[in-house]
Amino acid sequence: MNIIIFGPPGAGKGTQSNFLKEDLKMNQISTGDLLRNELKKESELSKQIRNIMDAGKLVSDKIIYDLIEDKISDINIKNKMIFDGFPRNIEQAKNLEIMLKKHDQNLSKVLNLKVDYSVLIKRISGRISCPVCKSTYNEYFDPPPQNCKENKMIKRSDDNEETVTKRLKTYDNETLPLLEYYKNQNKVINIDAMKQIDEVRKEIKGVLKD
Ligand code: ADP
Ligand code: ADP
């Protein structure tokens, strides 16, 4: 089973993908994380990527495909993939189908994390991650455990109100139309992502068992 975890920035895609790794032994493929890894390289390309990410826009499809194809062709994670933050436009969705087919796989479901936009700014502005264990927590909703507390938590440079507003616009214009696209393929399962983190986890586990 390969699935997409879908929703606006701050909906909880990364948080729930992490649980799916534990609960169903699936593998998270987050294009955001893959891009942030590229940024560590300090190349000309990484400068370009950083500017686009900080402007809340989408980086070019070509860059994304190069990162993704490496994963889709990996036999060790075949049919156990969660796509987090990908696809983000119709073109990427079509390409995902082609890449999966090429590697003898398909897409089973799209989990649509439904949230009111009113909570997103607070979720994102409170998002922190531990530099040691790399887990994501939240200053308001999900404080880090004791063993992470001594570490200086990291905030993403694009998690400020100005960039988030732009990211939400990009989401509405370019990514949201994908929902219709996947509804037409009968792949969408709606999840109430307004609930507490653990409740959302249970709901997702439940629907994936069916
Ligand atoms: P996304 O990957 O969709 O951008 P994250 O999983 O990184 O979202 O979650 C964004 C922030 O909101 C994180 O700080 C996370 O701890 C917090 N969060 C995630 N799900 C919930 C929830 N159901 N209720 C409250 N806070 C949440
Ligand atoms: P969030 O989980 O909060 O939505 P991500 O970590 O998925 O944020 O993405 C951060 C940024 O990386 C995006 O705002 C965008 O600039 C870039 N990005 C991530 N995934 C893609 C993608 N599939 N296509 C184009 N740009 C992407």
Side-chain angles (χ1 to χ4, degrees), residues 7-16 84 123-124 126-128 136-138 141-142 156 167 193-197 200:
K13 303 182 295 295
T15 304
Q16 297 301 330
D84 165 8
R123 282 195 190 177
I124 290 175
R127 172 157 58 190
I128 45 178
T136 299
Y137 299 102
N138 195 285
F141 306 113
D142 186 22
R156 276 169 47 178
R167 280 158 63 197
M194 290 298 282
K195 291 193 216 153
Q196 292 197 352
I197 293 176
V200 180

Side-chain angles (χ1 to χ4, degrees), residues 117-127 138 140-141:
Y117 281 21
S118 58
V119 304
L120 296 178
I121 302 274
K122 192 158 183 191
R123 282 195 190 177
I124 290 175
S125 62
R127 172 157 58 190
N138 195 285
Y140 310 107
F141 306 113

Side-chain angles (χ1 to χ4, degrees), residues 149-160:
K149 274 200 175 129
E150 291 120 51
N151 306 322
K152 192 171 169 358
M153 293 288 151
I154 298 175
K155 273 192 189 256
R156 276 169 47 178
S157 68
D158 59 345
D159 276 352
N160 58 76

Side-chain angles (χ1 to χ4, degrees), residues 51-67:
N51 287 339
I52 297 169
M53 288 174 82
D54 281 340
K57 296 184 181 154
L58 297 185
V59 307
S60 81
D61 292 345
K62 164 83 176 70
I63 293 175
I64 299 293
Y65 300 155
D66 287 347
L67 295 171

Side-chain angles (χ1 to χ4, degrees), residues 65-127:
Y65 300 155
D66 287 347
L67 295 171
I68 280 277
E69 181 134 33
D70 256 12
K71 303 286 171 191
I72 294 180
S73 59
D74 182 350
I75 191 86
N76 297 310
I77 58 173
K78 188 172 179 178
N79 285 321
K80 286 180 285 188
M81 295 185 275
I82 314 158
F83 296 102
D84 165 8
F86 174 83
R88 258 176 152 97
N89 57 33
I90 301 277
E91 191 54 39
Q92 290 185 8
K94 290 189 174 154
N95 213 275
L96 173 62
E97 265 159 46
I98 293 169
M99 283 190 279
L100 284 171
K101 207 168 176 190
K102 182 171 158 196
H103 295 282
D104 195 27
Q105 301 182 65
N106 57 29
L107 179 71
S108 305
K109 289 177 174 128
V110 177
L111 297 181
N112 176 33
L113 301 190
K114 289 187 80 168
V115 276
D116 298 343
Y117 281 21
S118 58
V119 304
L120 296 178
I121 302 274
K122 192 158 183 191
R123 282 195 190 177
I124 290 175
S125 62
R127 172 157 58 190

Side-chain angles (χ1 to χ4, degrees), residues 9 30-61 63-64 67 84-86 88 92 124 127 155-171 174:
S30 155
T31 41
D33 286 348
L34 292 170
L35 288 168
R36 280 182 287 279
N37 260 341
E38 287 298 301
L39 296 185
K40 291 181 194 148
K41 293 184 185 157
E42 295 297 341
S43 59
E44 198 43 52
L45 179 65
S46 76
K47 262 187 234 154
Q48 283 174 28
I49 295 176
R50 185 185 300 279
N51 287 339
I52 297 169
M53 288 174 82
D54 281 340
K57 296 184 181 154
L58 297 185
V59 307
S60 81
D61 292 345
I63 293 175
I64 299 293
L67 295 171
D84 165 8
F86 174 83
R88 258 176 152 97
Q92 290 185 8
I124 290 175
R127 172 157 58 190
K155 273 192 189 256
R156 276 169 47 178
S157 68
D158 59 345
D159 276 352
N160 58 76
E161 197 165 336
E162 193 193 337
T163 309
V164 173
T165 309
K166 290 184 190 150
R167 280 158 63 197
L168 284 172
K169 268 202 191 118
T170 306
Y171 175 81
E174 302 189 46

